[in-house]
Amino acid sequence: MEAQIGNKLLLVTPNCADLAKPNVEIKRFPDGETYVRIDEETEGKHVTVLHRCYPKQDSSLLQLLLIGNAVAPFAKSLTAVVPYLPYARQDKAWKTGEVKSAEIVCNLLVSSGYTNLVTYDCHFLKKGGEHKRDKLTILNKSMGKMLEDYLSRQIADDPVIVSPDSGAGYLVEGRGHAMKKVRGEYVTDDKTAYREVKELSMDFSVNGREVIVLDDMIAGGGTMERAVRLCIEAGAKTVRCGATHGLFLNFADQRIKEAGAQEVIASDTVQCPYSKVSIKEQLFTAPLSSFF
Ligand code: R5P
């Protein structure tokens, strides 16, 4: 992908080298702080920054904000493409004193000069397409169909397509069913804050069928593990799992396979050994290509 087409400029950070040619310099000062430099003419251009913000989400996010601040004073418009948006999971304050991190991240992007954000299966947006968050326009792309198509290759009969909760229901909308998930209270030790899955249920049959479970993400894996067990207990012939963002924390992949999953895949919004489908195809075709 050419960095420059007309008055459009694509800035690519080194952690997206698999998607396009990097042209942003990111280094560290001797004390560990972040140094960024853009050696491209940005004046009067519609600039798009392609940057992964996971792993190391705190420093990656800061890099994105610094790049925005370097470009915004000169660019005509500024778009961030962040395949997996960090902090998107905390969009509500459950307890007094908590913060809505998702909202703060959106505000930080705006204050760094970004007017548009393109992201994939973003946790706080419960459907695809265009959304407004104050001054930020967000395009939420979905990998649901690509994951499903990949997992369907091995399946002869019509599979049952399932999402493990209503939040991820739009990934299977018009093609499948959503389970009902209830999370419990925070399980909090000194270091982690996590709400376990308390209940998972479904009001549709998977008996004797091949099942594909699709979710926006596999983080701790509790959701997918429970979904696989539920399907198998309900008589599913096989269960295959796909998630847009594959974080696979604490051996989540092993636990999901031990629960009985025949296949587990993810996209490459987060690069991992399970990345079997790529956002690359979608990136450079309409409507996304209009940004580059
Ligand atoms: C929401 O609740 C999401 O759709 C995912 O199901 C969830 O974030 C997965 O988290 P975990 O893998 O930790 O259960």
Side-chain angles (χ1 to χ4, degrees):
M1 177 72 201
E2 286 295 317
Q4 191 156 329
I5 301 171
N7 74 340
K8 290 180 183 168
L9 175 67
L10 176 62
L11 294 178
V12 182
T13 66
N15 72 11
C16 287
D18 57 315
L19 302 172
K21 195 164 169 243
N23 53 358
V24 174
E25 206 178 316
I26 299 182
K27 294 181 182 170
R28 294 227 162 258
F29 287 111
D31 60 0
E33 291 175 0
T34 300
Y35 167 94
V36 301
R37 178 169 176 262
I38 289 101
D39 192 17
E40 298 275 353
E41 184 51 69
T42 56
E43 184 89 49
K45 306 230 168 91
H46 296 283
V47 178
T48 298
V49 180
L50 180 52
H51 185 50
R52 280 198 180 89
C53 284
Y54 189 93
K56 298 185 183 157
Q57 51 273 51
D58 291 355
S59 52
S60 303
L61 192 57
L62 186 64
Q63 290 164 0
L64 184 68
L65 301 179
L66 295 178
I67 294 167
N69 278 278
V71 173
F74 312 102
K76 200 160 184 187
S77 71
L78 187 54
T79 299
V81 180
V82 182
Y84 167 58
L85 188 70
Y87 291 98
R89 292 225 284 181
Q90 195 170 10
D91 58 331
K92 294 185 186 89
W94 293 97
K95 290 181 175 176
T96 315
E98 289 181 347
V99 289
K100 296 180 194 171
S101 319
E103 200 176 296
I104 293 169
V105 165
C106 291
N107 292 342
L108 284 170
L109 288 174
V110 170
S111 66
S112 295
Y114 293 96
T115 48
N116 304 308
L117 167 67
V118 178
T119 190
Y120 285 80
D121 292 317
C122 178
H123 185 82
F124 63 82
L125 301 171
K126 305 300 181 197
K127 56 181 182 169
E130 206 173 290
H131 303 258
K132 268 279 191 200
R133 280 294 180 279
D134 198 10
K135 290 181 185 146
L136 191 66
T137 302
I138 310 176
L139 178 61
N140 189 32
K141 301 281 297 168
S142 183
M143 292 302 284
K145 191 67 177 71
M146 277 183 84
L147 292 163
E148 178 187 326
D149 289 347
Y150 184 96
L151 289 168
S152 296
R153 295 168 321 150
Q154 312 282 352
I155 303 175
D157 302 331
D158 247 7
V160 184
I161 314 296
V162 173
S163 74
D165 54 39
S166 57
Y170 76 92
L171 272 84
V172 305
E173 203 172 357
R175 316 186 306 281
H177 310 265
M179 291 175 169
K180 287 193 180 69
K181 180 168 89 177
V182 180
R183 284 216 186 255
E185 284 301 308
Y186 272 105
V187 177
T188 311
D189 58 28
D190 284 351
K191 290 187 179 160
T192 49
Y194 183 68
R195 294 174 66 220
E196 277 181 340
V197 180
K198 193 172 154 198
E199 279 171 41
L200 196 64
S201 59
M202 57 185 171
D203 56 9
F204 50 89
S205 172
V206 296
N207 191 21
R209 304 284 302 276
E210 310 228 51
V211 180
I212 292 178
V213 188
L214 299 176
D215 204 354
D216 57 339
M217 67 192 296
I218 296 174
T223 303
M224 198 55 99
E225 190 185 337
R226 289 281 292 265
V228 172
R229 287 193 199 284
L230 183 62
C231 291
I232 287 176
E233 281 161 20
K237 202 155 108 189
T238 62
V239 186
R240 291 178 166 80
C241 308
T244 302
H245 316 296
L247 275 57
F248 297 107
L249 309 172
N250 306 322
F251 306 104
D253 50 343
Q254 284 180 29
R255 283 185 279 109
I256 294 165
K257 287 180 202 167
E258 279 162 21
Q262 184 138 347
E263 195 174 5
V264 182
I265 66 160
S267 84
D268 59 355
T269 55
V270 171
Q271 290 178 295
C272 71
Y274 295 93
S275 300
K276 298 293 179 200
V277 299
S278 179
I279 58 170
K280 192 167 180 174
E281 257 175 57
Q282 291 198 2
L283 269 181
F284 301 113
T285 54
L288 266 174
S289 53
S290 66
F291 289 110
F292 307 133

